[in-house]
Amino acid sequence: MERRSLPVPDGLAGERADAAIAKLLGFSRTAAAEILEAGGASLDGAVLAKSDRLHADGWLEVEWQPKQDPIVVPVLVPGFEIVHDDDDLVVIDKPVGVAAHPAVGWDGPTVLGALAGAGFRISTSGAAERAGIVHRLDVGTSGLMVVAKSERAYTELKRQFHDREVDKIYHAVVQGHPDPFSGTIDAPIGRHPGSSWKFAVTAGGKPSVTHYDTLEAMRSATLLEIHLETGRTHQIRVHMAAQRHPCAGDLLYGADPSLAARLGLERQWLHAMRLGFRHPGSGERVEFSTRYPEDLAHALDVLRAD
C-alpha cells in the first residue's frame, strides 16, 4: 500500500477531487476515480467523493494499492493479417476479439501479443504494456490499425493523430435510416453517468465530431461510411446511438437483440475500412484499405436479402 500526504496547492483549489488527484500524483482520471470510489482519499480527515471540490490550505491524504503493469504475452491469433510492413511501421487488419494492448482485467489476445508472436519488433516508446501503439480499436471492432516500429514513427504518428491529420474511415451498419442521409454529428462525449463501462453525449464531455454518408439503405438498416474527425472512445457507437440509430448488434448501446440474432451478430457491425496518413519515413501520403470480415459480410447479405 502506498500513501501520500500533502497540502492542496492554490492552483488546484476548486478542482474536482478526481481531476486534482490525477494531476498531483500523475494518475489517469480513471485511476484517480477508482481510488476515490474505494474511499482512499480524504481532505482534512473527511473522506472524499470523486465529484467533491478541493479547497485551498486543505490537507489531502491519498492511499492506494499499486497495480502491476500487464505484460505482453506473445500469441498466434487466427485471422490476424499484416497489410503492410516496413522499417518504420506495420499496418494490421485486427480481428474482432483482440485488444490493442494488455490491460488490467483483460486476459484475451492483443495486437502487441500477436505481433510479438509473429516475430515483430515494435517501438519502445510509450508505456511498456502499450509500446508502439499510436491509436486503438475496441475489442469488438475489427479493421485497420497502424503500429510504430521505429521511435521516429511513434513520435510522428502520435502527432498526426493528435493534430487530426489522419484519415480514419469506417463502415457501419446502423438500425433504421438516419435523417438526413449524410451529415455531421458534433456532440461532446464523456463517461456515462450511470455506468463505468459506457460513454455518452454529455455537456461536460470532450469535443467529438463524426461525419457520415449513406452508402446503402435497406429495409431495416443502413450501411454508412463514417469519417472520424476526432477519436474518442466508442465515438461512432455513442454518436449513432444518440441519434437513435445504434450500430446493429451493439447491445451495450441499445441495439435490438432480435435483429442481432437474426443477423448472427455477436458484436457491433463496425469495421475500420481505410486508414491514411503521411509516412513518417518518406513523408509521402499513404492509404491502406481492407475488406469486410466474414461475420459482417454475412449480416449484410441477410439485410440485403430482406
Side-chain angles (χ1 to χ4, degrees), residues 76-82 92-100 106 109-111 114 137-145 267 270-271 290 293-296:
L76 296 177
V77 177
F80 188 89
E81 293 186 22
I82 304 299
I92 61 103
D93 192 349
K94 186 187 84 67
V96 65
V98 179
W106 175 255
T110 67
V111 168
L137 294 179
D138 296 341
V139 171
T141 300
S142 51
L144 295 176
M145 279 184 61
R267 49 102 166 209
L270 181 61
H271 189 64
T290 182
E294 288 184 8
D295 62 334
L296 302 190

Side-chain angles (χ1 to χ4, degrees), residues 69-70 72 101-102 112 122-135 147-156 158:
D69 288 335
V72 174
H101 55 73
L112 291 183
I122 302 303
S123 162
T124 57
S125 296
E129 76 278 8
R130 61 182 70 182
I133 296 294
V134 295
H135 71 125
V147 180
K149 293 172 65 177
S150 68
E151 307 311 313
R152 71 173 178 183
Y154 181 87
T155 300
E156 173 59 15
K158 287 287 282 187

Side-chain angles (χ1 to χ4, degrees), residues 183-200:
T184 295
I185 305 169
D186 186 350
I189 292 176
R191 289 200 172 273
H192 194 287
S195 171
S196 59
W197 297 102
K198 295 172 63 176
F199 291 80

